[in-house]
């Protein structure tokens, strides 16, 4: 089986480096026209230059692919409008959006300023919302769209120092859960990737020997599958070092306290209510 993207157009946000770069290169290698968006700032979201996006475009072109660069910030509504306008002017359609751009402002919640919180939410969650809102009418009109959100193990499970990031990263999953329902009629499928990879974001967090086994190119095949014709919808795909699995929310069987319902009855039945041995995802 071979999967190609001939005639398709993708926007990959934050693809001037790290995971976004390998997603953009793989799509381009498979015939997709790619818009390489990157603000080109530092990891905490300061600064910016279109250099990063331009160098990935040069890489794609050198390999015989088709790409253009865009330096907008995903957290700037006007910038996102331009990103979509430029894409439509260059290629006339948008089939794929990978919401990948991201920054970190790690601190324990005790020390975190609300500005650090808002900035991270604005890039990861609102940036994904702005880009998705801008392509949504186009994908609806085309009766075709594939969207990937980038979540994180920190959002799904928590991580010390990442209250802002975790909130934003689980926010994109909630966003996906509703869009998968609303996009069904017009063949828009929307999924999330929860990656672990060696990039500038993790180089100081993961030990060196492990980093060598966690190349971003080992996550990208999962993301590119989620952009394909046969993609599922509403899946959270976990990927690291060439290993893949699915994460989901499960619920334990309902315990009916009937006319005995009281605070004490909840306490007495706590072990039964929280017993996950027969837990299942909703609806299965
Ligand atoms: P990275 O720092 O190499 O890449 C992020 C890219 O986004 C950078 O090139 C940066 O310039 C760009 N960017 C930042 N703010 C932007 C904005 N406002 N507008 C446009 N571009 C912007 O980091 P990495 O690891 O490649 O991260 C990619 C995504 O994967 C992020 O959403 C990150 O949160 C997520 N992720 C990464 C993990 C990892 O293990 N590397 C783990 C879990 C999630």
């Amino acid at each position: 089986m071979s999967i190609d993207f001939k005639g398709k157009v993708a926007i990959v946000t934050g693809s001037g480096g790290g995971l976004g770069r390998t997603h953009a290169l793989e799509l381009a290698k498979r015939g997709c026209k790619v818009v390489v968006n990157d603000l080109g700032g530092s990891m905490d979201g300061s600064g910016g230059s279109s250099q990063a996006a331009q160098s990935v475009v040069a890489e794609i072109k050198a390999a015989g692919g088709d790409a253009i660069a865009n330096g907008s910030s995903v957290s700037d509504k006007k910038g996102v409008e331009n990103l979509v306008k430029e894409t439509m002017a260059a290629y006339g359609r948008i089939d794929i959006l990978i919401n990948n751009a991201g920054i970190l402002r790690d601190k324990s919640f005790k020390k975190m300023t609300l500005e650090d919180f808002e900035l991270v939410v604005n890039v990861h969650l609102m940036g994904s919302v702005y880009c998705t809102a801008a392509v949504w009418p186009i994908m609806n009109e085309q009766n075709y769209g594939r969207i990937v959100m980038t979540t994180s193990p920190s959002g799904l499970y928590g991580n010390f120092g990442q209250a802002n990031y975790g909130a934003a990263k689980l926010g994109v999953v909630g966003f996906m859960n509703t869009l998968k329902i609303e996009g069904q009629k017009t063949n828009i499928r929307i999924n999330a990737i929860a990656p672990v990879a060696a990039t500038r974001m993790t180089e100081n967090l993961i030990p060196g020997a492990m980093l060598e086994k966690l190349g971003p190119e080992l996550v990208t095949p999962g993301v590119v599958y989620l952009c394909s014709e046969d993609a599922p919808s509403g899946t959270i795909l976990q990927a690291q070092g060439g290993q893949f699995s699915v994460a989901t929310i499960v619920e334990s069987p309902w315990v009916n306290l009937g006319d005995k319902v009281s605070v004490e009855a909840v306490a007495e039945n706590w072990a039964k209510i929280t017993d996950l041995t027969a837990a299942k995802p909703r609806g299965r």
Side-chain angles (χ1 to χ4, degrees), residues 21 24-29 32-36 53-70 90-91:
R21 174 181 159 271
L25 292 178
E26 186 64 30
L27 282 168
K29 200 170 98 184
C32 196
K33 299 180 178 90
V34 181
V35 180
V36 177
Q54 274 162 6
S55 77
V56 174
V57 167
E59 236 181 304
I60 290 173
K61 286 191 172 160
D66 191 349
I68 57 170
N70 171 280
Y91 298 131

Side-chain angles (χ1 to χ4, degrees), residues 109 112 116-118 120-122 124-126 150-159 161-175:
F109 191 55
M112 189 179 284
D116 284 336
F117 205 106
E118 283 164 356
V120 166
V121 169
N122 282 343
H124 290 276
L125 176 57
M126 294 316 294
T150 305
T151 181
S152 163
S154 300
L156 300 174
Y157 310 111
N159 192 23
Q162 294 196 317
N164 51 359
Y165 181 75
K169 286 308 203 187
L170 204 51
V172 300
V173 173
F175 184 39

Side-chain angles (χ1 to χ4, degrees), residues 146-227:
R146 299 288 180 262
I147 300 174
V148 179
M149 300 290 175
T150 305
T151 181
S152 163
S154 300
L156 300 174
Y157 310 111
N159 192 23
F160 192 94
Q162 294 196 317
N164 51 359
Y165 181 75
K169 286 308 203 187
L170 204 51
V172 300
V173 173
F175 184 39
M176 169 192 84
N177 285 337
T178 285
L179 293 193
K180 87 174 170 208
I181 299 166
E182 296 187 5
Q184 213 166 16
K185 267 209 308 228
T186 47
N187 192 18
I188 303 175
R189 301 187 190 167
I190 175 154
N191 294 283
I193 184 79
V196 176
T199 66
R200 69 175 184 174
M201 217 179 243
T202 48
E203 66 193 359
N204 296 321
L205 303 173
I206 301 175
M210 264 172 83
L211 282 175
E212 282 167 27
K213 298 185 180 138
L214 291 173
E217 68 286 353
L218 300 173
V219 167
T220 287
V223 174
V224 169
Y225 174 66
L226 296 179
C227 297

